[in-house]
């Protein structure tokens, strides 16, 4: 398991998919940033592993895609829209609210 100082963290979906992503990208999401904050005393802060029992792998995959997209374009202007499948819009809206992105 990654240590709190690890450059990477692991996001685990409710169907067991694991996404190992840069900590910097993960912290774009306010919820994950708070979970990984050492001052929070959350287990995730020491393990570097965040489990999301309410979201499946497809939603976590799109979330990680967005986190990297946001990180890549954070200083940019006129950023192109990210491709979002219409069938996932409602679930992604719920996830966006939960993850504070």
């Amino acid at each position: 398991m990654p240590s709190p100082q690890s450059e990477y963290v692991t996001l685990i979906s409710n169907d067991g998919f694991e996404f190992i992503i840069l900590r910097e990208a993960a912290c774009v999401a306010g919820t994950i940033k708070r979970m990984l904050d050492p001052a929070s005393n959350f287990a995730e802060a020491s393990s570097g592993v965040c489990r999301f029992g309410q979201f499946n792998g497809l939603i976590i995959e799109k979330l990680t895609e967005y986190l990297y997209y946001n990180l890549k374009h954070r200083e940019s202007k006129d950023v192109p829209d990210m491709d979002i499948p219409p069938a996932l819009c409602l679930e992604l809206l719920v996830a966006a609210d939960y993850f504070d992105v």
Side-chain angles (χ1 to χ4, degrees):
M1 287 186 200
S3 69
Q5 289 74 37
S6 175
E7 186 179 359
Y8 296 92
V9 297
T10 304
L11 309 181
I12 303 176
S13 65
N14 65 3
D15 49 359
F17 287 96
E18 296 185 11
F19 301 87
I20 299 170
I21 68 171
L22 284 171
R23 178 178 292 269
E24 182 182 13
C27 288
V28 168
T31 299
I32 297 173
K33 183 177 182 175
R34 289 186 291 279
M35 291 169 80
L36 296 173
D37 182 358
S40 71
N41 291 323
F42 288 127
E44 294 84 358
S46 60
S47 70
V49 176
C50 302
R51 298 178 191 281
F52 301 104
Q54 62 275 49
F55 299 107
N56 66 34
L58 188 56
I59 298 302
I60 300 297
E61 180 179 21
K62 270 299 187 191
L63 169 73
T64 59
E65 207 176 296
Y66 171 76
L67 296 174
Y68 277 110
Y69 188 82
N70 185 295
L71 189 63
K72 178 182 175 184
H73 295 291
R74 67 179 163 199
E75 303 295 326
S76 303
K77 294 182 184 205
D78 299 321
V79 177
D81 289 337
M82 209 177 119
D83 182 38
I84 307 269
L88 293 179
C89 285
L90 183 59
E91 285 182 88
L92 288 172
L93 184 60
V94 171
D97 182 54
Y98 176 85
F99 287 105
D100 193 21
V101 290

